[in-house]
Amino acid sequence: MVPPPRFDSVRFGTYVPDPDQPSQTEAVGVLEGFAAGLGGAHASGAGRRGLLGFGRRPAKAPAGPRGVYLDGGYGVGKTHLLASLWHATPAEPGLKAFGTFVELTNLVGALGFQQTVRTLSGHRLLCIDEFELDDPGDTVLVSSLLGRLVEAGVALAATSNTLPGRLGEGRFAAADFLREIQGLSAHFRALRIDGEDYRHRGLPEAPAPYSDEQVTKAAYATPHASLDDFPHLLDHLARVHPSRYGALTDGVSAVCLTDVRPVPDQSTALRLVVLADRLYDREVPVLTSGLPFDRLFSDDMLNGGYRKKYFRAISRLTALARDAKPLIKEVKA
């Protein structure tokens, strides 16, 4: 559980704040101070070893929020800042963890709740990227998990496009789980980051989709590139658990897709969002024919409860399409 390849070398010093957005500069200062404050001994290092040998008994958790929560629109550099915090925190990699919200819930599924608590309680910092609550079960699970970790002295940091007090809004009966949501909010100091999408700030328009022939030729000319028909790819994603989407990209230098068209339903759209995130994390360029990425999701989807996920996916896929442009030039050459 470490930052993905795209964010392996980022640091606070490599973050370029927008001069018109003072909240970005302020966020860097707050997070640098937060990292410096984690330099002391881990809170759970005090006290005697537990009777079952699972580690030391936790000291009493400090009063007030034990975490920072980076809230803002897509493309303002929240993941960059979260990864920079992970790198800046003075601890061995095994004593600090970084993962997406989906990866965290998958970890609980793989290890079980109690073993996950034991595993993460010895950490100094847990960074959770793309924090979101899509169903009531996740709300109760994560609320309980983070409560236990805070009690053990683990510091938390998270990113999201939604304020912690409004998680789950528009997706399920959030009012019925208000206590859990408010409990999550109490663990964090919210830090708002304003600004435009840095992935497209000052850059030319993304390239229009190419022809099927161009994409196919580029795929065969690019070592370790994949080539798939978009509808068939969506069908395949339905048969693979989203926790394995990262593994699908192992060894893939570029993703080439023909016949890109609007996704047919919400479940398919959410699976595609996860794939887009994993491709972006691993810096895999995406070359396509068919419709442009801004027409992947219907108006109903872009106006619904998952709209921020879809806009993030469009932004990231557009950046990867720009990265893929040299593949066409190499074929022409």
Side-chain angles (χ1 to χ4, degrees):
M1 297 187 71
V2 299
R6 179 178 289 273
F7 300 100
D8 185 47
S9 61
V10 301
R11 300 293 187 274
F12 289 126
T14 63
Y15 182 78
V16 183
D18 185 339
D20 296 327
Q21 301 293 342
S23 63
Q24 296 186 8
T25 302
E26 178 187 357
V28 173
V30 170
L31 292 173
E32 286 178 329
F34 187 74
L38 297 177
H42 183 270
S44 64
R48 296 184 178 275
R49 195 167 184 81
L51 291 176
L52 299 179
F54 291 131
R56 300 184 183 277
R57 293 185 183 279
K60 184 178 180 180
R66 181 61 180 163
V68 289
Y69 191 99
L70 308 183
D71 169 63
Y74 56 90
V76 296
K78 299 187 299 297
T79 302
H80 184 136
L81 291 173
L82 187 70
S84 298
L85 173 64
W86 187 92
H87 289 298
T89 298
E92 294 297 320
L95 294 179
K96 53 184 179 179
F98 185 106
T100 65
F101 179 82
V102 171
E103 288 169 335
L104 180 63
T105 55
N106 289 338
L107 182 67
V108 177
L111 299 182
F113 182 82
Q114 295 298 339
Q115 183 60 39
T116 301
V117 171
R118 289 193 287 266
T119 299
L120 295 178
S121 288
H123 286 55
R124 182 168 294 172
L125 173 69
L126 172 62
C127 295
I128 310 169
D129 198 21
E130 301 159 15
F131 198 107
E132 201 46 275
L133 298 177
D134 293 340
D135 63 63
D138 282 347
T139 304
V140 176
L141 173 69
V142 174
S143 176
S144 301
L145 175 63
L146 297 189
R148 294 281 295 275
L149 295 180
V150 168
E151 289 176 0
V154 180
L156 307 174
T159 71
S160 180
N161 297 318
T162 306
L163 284 168
R166 301 179 67 182
L167 288 165
E169 188 175 71
R171 296 170 179 78
F172 59 86
D176 295 339
F177 295 86
L178 188 59
R179 185 180 65 181
E180 283 78 8
I181 293 171
Q182 289 175 337
L184 284 170
S185 180
H187 296 318
F188 297 101
R189 170 192 173 181
L191 196 62
R192 175 70 187 180
I193 304 175
D194 299 305
E196 300 176 0
D197 187 345
Y198 80 93
R199 285 183 281 268
H200 311 298
R201 191 194 308 165
L203 292 175
E205 294 259 339
Y210 299 97
S211 68
D212 288 353
E213 182 182 11
Q214 287 175 303
V215 172
T216 301
K217 285 184 176 179
Y220 279 100
T222 305
H224 308 298
S226 65
L227 176 62
D228 293 282
D229 173 78
F230 187 67
H232 290 161
L233 173 66
L234 297 183
D235 289 341
H236 182 65
L237 293 181
R239 297 190 294 272
V240 180
H241 192 277
S243 65
R244 301 294 299 163
Y245 288 5
L248 285 178
T249 69
D250 287 346
V252 176
S253 64
V255 168
C256 300
L257 299 172
T258 58
D259 195 22
V260 171
R261 59 180 70 176
V263 293
D265 56 70
Q266 192 103 267
S267 296
T268 303
L270 291 172
R271 287 192 289 267
L272 183 60
V273 167
V274 177
L275 179 64
D277 288 337
R278 300 294 78 79
L279 292 173
Y280 184 77
D281 288 345
R282 290 159 174 77
E283 300 181 296
V284 180
V286 178
L287 190 70
T288 65
S289 69
L291 292 180
F293 288 130
D294 60 3
R295 294 173 62 185
L296 279 174
F297 307 109
S298 68
D299 289 341
D300 286 345
M301 292 179 185
L302 294 178
N303 291 319
Y306 297 103
R307 60 189 177 278
K308 293 178 181 178
K309 287 178 178 284
Y310 299 144
F311 280 117
R312 183 182 77 232
I314 292 170
S315 171
R316 291 183 164 186
L317 288 171
T318 299
L320 294 177
R322 190 179 292 118
D323 293 343
K325 194 172 182 180
L327 301 180
I328 293 292
K329 294 180 178 179
E330 292 171 8
V331 172
K332 291 181 178 178

